[in-house]
Amino acid sequence: MAVVSIEDLCFGYTDIDLLKNASLKINEGEHVGLVGLNGCGKTTLMNLLALKISPDRGSIVWDKNKTFSYLDQMLVVNSDVSINEYLYSVYNDLFIKEDEMNKLYESLGDADASSYDKILAKAERISEYLEKNNFYRIKSDIGNIINGLGIDIGDSINDARLLKDLSGGQRARVFLGKMLLEKKDVLLLDEPTNFLDVSHIEWLGKFLSNYKKEFVVISHDPVFLNTVCNYIVDLDGKMLTKYKGNYDAFIMQKETNREAYIKQYNKQQEKIKKLETYIAKNLVRASTTKQAQSRRKELEKMDKLEKLSSDYKMAIHFPFTHSFNMLALEVKNLSIGYDKVILKDINVRMEFGRRYIITGANGVGKTTFIKTIMGIIRPKGGKIKLTPFNDITYFSQDENVLDITPIDYIRLEYPRMDNTKVRTLLGNFGVKGELALSSMKELSGGENCKVRLARISLKPSNMLILDEPTNHLDRVAKDALVDALNKYDGTIILVSHDKDFYKRLSRENQKNDKIIEINFKTNV
């Protein structure tokens, strides 16, 4: 039985169609992965499913008995409540029931003996209800979610962390935790792994693979999709195609289907061209006007196939300045943090030209370390020696999305760059046509990431510091970024939870050039 049905769905922004006559059914028991290239409309489809926006045409019909919750990649939460209060609010109705039960027991002290049995019976019914709804496991269930997703709730009641003070990634983890506790019938998850480290992605994978109900998840992580999904829905050419099996099975099936579709598409295009040629030649001739009009009607009634989006090509190059024969960076007994120390006694020596991968749990201080060695945050103690011969290019994880076009974003730092060169640059990163003229607030997470990568690629350097650059990127973009990093001769400091990505860093003709993984662990 379908939990949600999509019929002949059409949706677009201005003159850009994202969905055209798309149809899909998600049935009970299905764990669905939604895939497609950056900007194809995956997040838009999620917003449509969540009823946040309305289709131009067509319908989305939910089973009236089904509930759903939605994890938005652009989630905004601004509240004075603590993380604990927010998570425990899932069970407010049960706490109200518990309070009612306790008041019944308290009332026995003043009640007539004749009403004892009635009061006790009512209290026991509430107790049974609480037991049936796992009330006495609430603390354990919340603890499991907190530990599984790596949510830092604070050290004590006096140190409780408020939602409004959290970063975007921390908020996403808390909201995801609340969704998992609610156990709605259908979960709509837009890139839930972007702000999770490896161990927490593994935990989420196990949780979702054992989830008894349905979900739809957007992800560019093949390993994660293989773990959690039994169906894949591919958004390509403004259409939705559903494949049975995990991501690997989808790749094999899609290639077969793609070849058949392309043959059908090309055959139709040949027919359309012949019809158009005949109409153009014969419409004005008196002897053949009727035949030409008949051909035109045939052409107008034809159900035209959409051209599939081919894997676009993306070219990335990070220009290199110069090398030097000394340490690129050395830190001794470094302590880092904001109001208080979150990591101390960091001792690292980084040689010029090597690749360093920084991993560790979310919130442990990876981004804080990067900002500290960059001089954005003052160290809490210790020494940092960043060699002045370094020419640094920095990609930040948490840059604010501006309400300007990609062209204007490039010109913020390169105001004299002419329009043709800006367009060519953005085109090399897959940001073409109308996308280059759209507000960056209207672009997908992956498209925003590509625009930012495009700008930093203009700056010559000999040290790249990249903080989670693959968040939101599709397979084509990741492949291009790996290739660019493998051709780069300078030092690379990469913060990443994407093991599949950073394990592919391997420069040619340098057999002894191994990546060096630095795992940060809490030591405060």
Side-chain angles (χ1 to χ4, degrees), residues 106-257:
E106 290 171 4
S107 71
L108 289 173
D110 299 322
D112 294 332
S114 60
S115 61
Y116 277 13
D117 289 344
K118 185 178 180 180
I119 294 172
L120 284 172
K122 189 173 182 180
E124 286 173 5
R125 284 196 298 272
I126 295 174
S127 179
E128 289 171 2
Y129 175 84
L130 294 175
E131 184 72 35
K132 183 180 178 181
N133 287 276
N134 298 316
F135 177 75
Y136 301 104
R137 288 181 49 192
I138 288 176
K139 187 174 182 180
S140 174
D141 288 345
I142 290 179
N144 181 43
I145 294 294
I146 286 172
N147 292 328
L149 296 178
I151 297 171
D152 180 8
I153 62 173
D155 298 329
S156 65
I157 294 176
N158 294 329
D159 188 35
R161 304 186 73 194
L162 303 181
L163 291 183
K164 69 177 183 179
D165 297 329
L166 303 182
S167 67
Q170 291 167 337
R171 284 199 302 269
R173 289 200 297 279
V174 174
F175 191 75
L176 175 58
K178 185 171 183 283
M179 285 179 66
L180 300 184
L181 290 168
E182 287 172 336
K183 298 178 182 177
K184 295 289 181 70
D185 295 312
V186 184
L187 304 180
L188 303 176
L189 305 167
D190 193 348
E191 303 209 41
T193 64
N194 271 357
F195 298 100
L196 299 178
D197 59 47
V198 175
S199 63
H200 300 135
I201 292 173
E202 291 175 354
W203 181 90
L204 180 61
K206 291 177 182 177
F207 185 99
L208 291 179
S209 62
N210 293 318
Y211 197 66
K212 303 300 182 184
K213 300 178 182 179
E214 296 76 48
F215 62 76
V216 181
V217 57
I218 295 174
S219 178
H220 293 292
D221 184 342
V223 176
F224 181 73
L225 291 172
N226 277 333
T227 300
V228 305
C229 295
N230 55 20
Y231 283 88
I232 299 292
V233 171
D234 182 35
L235 176 48
D236 189 1
K238 306 169 190 174
M239 300 177 295
L240 296 170
T241 307
K242 189 176 180 181
Y243 296 84
K244 187 174 182 179
N246 63 12
Y247 184 81
D248 288 343
F250 148 71
I251 290 295
M252 294 177 65
Q253 293 175 66
K254 179 175 180 177
E255 187 56 34
T256 301
N257 290 0

Side-chain angles (χ1 to χ4, degrees), residues 277-311:
T277 301
Y278 184 90
I279 293 167
K281 287 182 178 180
N282 295 283
L283 190 61
V284 295
R285 296 180 182 177
S287 60
T288 56
T289 297
K290 288 185 178 180
Q291 293 93 323
Q293 289 174 338
S294 176
R295 299 286 201 286
R296 185 162 63 181
K297 288 181 180 178
E298 180 183 356
L299 186 62
E300 290 171 352
K301 292 180 180 179
M302 185 181 294
D303 187 12
K304 296 183 180 64
L305 300 174
E306 289 287 338
K307 185 177 182 180
L308 292 178
S309 57
S310 59
D311 281 353

Side-chain angles (χ1 to χ4, degrees), residues 36-38 220 222 247 251 254 311-312 450 472-481 504:
L37 298 177
N38 289 143
H220 293 292
Y247 184 81
I251 290 295
K254 179 175 180 177
D311 281 353
Y312 66 95
K450 290 172 185 177
H472 308 293
L473 288 184
D474 59 36
R475 174 179 52 81
V476 176
K478 286 184 181 181
D479 289 346
L481 183 56
R504 294 161 61 195

Side-chain angles (χ1 to χ4, degrees), residues 194-195 338 356 358-360 362-363 365-374 376-377 393-399 449 452-453 456 464-473 481 485 492-498 501:
N194 271 357
F195 298 100
Y338 293 86
Y356 297 87
I358 297 177
T359 62
N362 277 299
K366 302 186 297 295
T367 295
T368 307
F369 172 76
I370 293 299
K371 289 183 176 180
T372 303
I373 64 172
M374 289 284 296
I376 299 171
I377 299 172
T393 290
Y394 172 45
F395 181 93
S396 170
Q397 177 186 170
D398 52 9
E399 181 176 307
C449 187
R452 294 173 56 209
L453 285 171
I456 70 168
L464 288 176
I465 300 179
L466 308 173
D467 190 358
E468 299 285 8
T470 62
N471 282 353
H472 308 293
L473 288 184
L481 183 56
L485 295 180
I492 296 173
I493 303 175
L494 171 67
V495 176
S496 180
H497 67 265
D498 191 341
F501 174 79

